[in-house]
Amino acid sequence: MAGNSKRRGAVRKEGTKKGAVVGSGGQRRRGLEGKGPTPRAEMRPGHPKQKRAAAAAARAEKSRDRREGPEIIAGRNPVVEALRAGVPGTTLFVALNIDADDRVTEAVRLAADKGISILEIPREELDRKTNRAVHQGLGLQVPPFEYSHPDDLLAIAKNSGEPPLLVALDGVTDPRNLGAVVRSAAAFGAHGVLLPQRRSAGVTAVAWRTSAGTAAKMPIAIATNLTRQLKLWAEEGLMIAGLDADGSVGIDDLSLATDPLVVVVGSEGRGLSRLVRETCDETVSIPMAAGVESLNASVAAAVLLAEVARRRRVAGRI
């Protein structure tokens, strides 16, 4: 037993020895084969650029996906006004056995001319659809508004052949003010309107009606972060001018009117937020007579946009 130095189980076949196995099973050849071109950094999982690109795509998708749900404008006067203004309704609901007057007749005619479906439904169903609003037998369904992306606004502005003019809203929560700003933006040659993701009115039926149909023609985008988006536009060469009661310059001394420009309109109560104000190249005030309260957001925006348009017309004639 003592002379047997071999460990039990350590049996080796004759003619073999330790060392590499002859042949590689094709692994060496496959290891020498090319794996194709190296993907761009944005395409390589885990790469910082890929992570940034994915985050930017997620923000863009979130911005594109913001939509208001379908709404129903209720009441004879509101429905007629919406149809006259070109609000893109999808269905006109008319209560059965309605006591028709001139407004009902006009609503039905306008809807038929625009190719809008006209449905007669029981009054109880119309009550339910309008959340028991005072509908007077008429309701107009408005589809969800489809927003653009901020990059689309900049592309439209740059391809217009004119100095870009964009309007951004900072905390405007009244849809009537939003609609009025959109209408003024269209009237004075702006190329698009930007809304923040939070603390802002959306393009609802009220905004549609107040805009007098111009919301159908004016690109409107959503910014996940308004301050960040303004800085991105500034990097693209746009100047930022914010409306502010305590502005650094009066409207008569606005020197940026003929430059590529973003006009920022603050909220109805507190004006521009601090971060947005700090992002502006200039803040602009509108001189007013003593003892008069400040203008609301939409009126102030119209005054400034009209002055910008005037100065651009003058510059174009020089």
Side-chain angles (χ1 to χ4, degrees):
M1 296 291 294
N4 186 1
S5 62
K6 287 187 178 181
R7 181 168 49 86
R8 181 178 297 176
V11 179
R12 183 178 297 158
K13 294 181 180 180
E14 292 295 326
T16 64
K17 65 178 181 177
K18 281 188 174 181
V21 178
V22 177
S24 64
Q27 293 181 21
R28 186 177 301 156
R29 174 176 51 79
R30 287 195 294 270
L32 295 174
E33 291 179 354
K35 297 182 180 180
T38 302
R40 297 200 315 269
E42 293 83 355
M43 304 297 291
R44 297 203 295 273
H47 193 282
K49 285 190 175 182
Q50 187 273 334
K51 292 180 180 179
R52 287 196 294 269
R59 288 194 300 269
E61 191 64 28
K62 183 177 180 181
S63 176
R64 289 180 188 275
D65 284 346
R66 172 176 169 171
R67 296 183 183 182
E68 310 295 333
E71 285 190 278
I72 294 183
I73 301 173
R76 299 187 183 192
N77 284 336
V79 167
V80 171
E81 290 172 7
L83 289 169
R84 288 174 180 171
V87 173
T90 55
T91 305
L92 176 66
F93 296 109
V94 182
L96 288 169
N97 303 318
I98 188 173
D99 182 15
D101 61 8
D102 291 342
R103 294 169 297 175
V104 174
T105 302
E106 183 177 1
V108 172
R109 178 180 58 80
L110 288 172
D113 291 345
K114 296 175 184 295
I116 297 172
S117 300
I118 302 171
L119 293 180
E120 285 191 285
I121 60 176
R123 183 172 292 271
E124 294 75 15
E125 185 176 351
L126 188 53
D127 289 340
R128 181 181 58 78
K129 286 182 176 293
T130 60
N131 292 322
R132 301 198 174 279
V134 182
H135 53 70
Q136 300 171 301
L138 280 186
L140 179 67
Q141 182 167 290
V142 179
F145 185 80
E146 295 191 10
Y147 294 93
S148 301
H149 186 271
D151 292 347
D152 299 333
L153 266 58
L154 184 60
I156 292 169
K158 286 187 172 183
N159 293 331
S160 67
E162 304 169 348
L165 177 59
L166 299 171
V167 179
L169 274 59
D170 179 21
V172 175
T173 56
D174 187 336
R176 291 168 296 184
N177 268 337
L178 168 59
V181 170
V182 170
R183 187 173 183 178
S184 296
F188 297 116
H191 302 110
V193 175
L194 181 71
L195 310 178
Q197 181 77 32
R198 297 181 298 168
R199 294 187 294 277
S200 173
V203 184
T204 62
V206 173
W208 267 115
R209 191 168 71 246
T210 311
S211 76
T214 54
K217 306 171 186 176
M218 174 64 58
I220 302 174
I222 297 291
T224 305
N225 184 296
L226 180 59
T227 303
R228 181 166 56 230
Q229 186 58 53
L230 292 175
K231 289 180 179 179
L232 289 173
W233 280 350
E235 292 174 1
E236 294 288 338
L238 276 67
M239 306 300 291
I240 315 295
L243 265 169
D244 192 274
D246 300 318
S248 57
V249 299
I251 192 172
D252 297 334
D253 300 316
L254 178 62
S255 61
L256 305 178
T258 56
D259 295 329
L261 184 63
V262 183
V263 171
V264 188
V265 182
S267 68
E268 297 86 352
R270 59 185 179 84
L272 298 174
S273 62
R274 179 182 61 83
L275 291 177
V276 168
R277 184 184 293 106
E278 292 173 354
T279 305
C280 294
D281 297 291
E282 285 186 350
T283 53
V284 187
S285 62
I286 300 174
M288 297 176 58
V292 179
E293 292 185 4
S294 61
L295 302 173
N296 73 12
S298 60
V299 175
V303 171
L304 180 54
L305 289 170
E307 176 63 13
V308 170
R310 184 191 70 80
R311 292 195 180 209
R312 291 186 172 204
R313 289 195 301 272
V314 171
R317 292 197 293 266
I318 296 175

